[in-house]
Amino acid sequence: MEAVILILGLLFVAFMALGVYVSVKVIGAAKRGVDRSITQARRTVEDTTLRAKSYGQAGVAGELARLRLALRTSMRATQEALQTGVAEDASLSESLGLFQRLSVHGRELDEELKRLEREPDRVTVASLLPGLKQRTERITHSAESLRWAARDRARQFADDDLAALNAQIDVEAGALRHWTVEEPAEPSAGADRRGGAGAGAGPGGDGPAWRAPVGEEGPGALTARDPRGQTGYPWQKDARPETTN
């Protein structure tokens, strides 16, 4: 009885531990989903605000908004392209590592532009704009180079695979149309006569030809065709009857 109680207690503890583990996992997944949704919503609101500032404001504030919007758009597009491509092409992992290093500089620049948006000294900010614009162009150019290289690589692989598939389909189509292959031409009448004369000879090529008895045809018997039973083509002329003297 004590052993049964001990086993039941252990099972109860195991089920409780399993329930706690599953609950923690579910709560963690739900929290990550909520955090991801909040981050996505915050990013969407911020991008919309930057887009509105870039079109609606002039001067330093509008230029800063345009720089931030161009930087964030280029970096996000490159990240999505590389993360999607690395799942199919493992060689893009090195490119993804380079992009992560580039993202550090991109985040630093974005934070600096964000701080300058709240800077009241517009004259000083205006003097910094040429350097900030150059840094933004360098980062976005590098991101675009990685993105388009990954896309060109994926497109080249797709083209090569399509070319190989087209070649296989052509071979299969030719095999399916085997009846369209030209058959060898039939021998001419003169060749038939020559062949018949040669076949009529004995095994050694000399002597009279072997003939089957009347009413019987062996497997090697040769019979002449009746010219009257042949069906001619419409463009052939009728043969002239031979005259006798």
Side-chain angles (χ1 to χ4, degrees), residues 49-55 57 60-70 117:
T49 303
L50 289 174
R51 192 172 289 107
K53 288 181 179 180
S54 63
Y55 290 116
Q57 294 184 1
V60 177
E63 186 65 24
L64 290 174
R66 281 189 289 272
L67 291 178
R68 286 192 66 195
L69 185 62
E117 286 180 346

Side-chain angles (χ1 to χ4, degrees), residues 19-31:
V20 171
Y21 176 78
V22 172
S23 300
V24 170
K25 286 294 184 180
V26 171
I27 294 173
K31 185 178 182 298

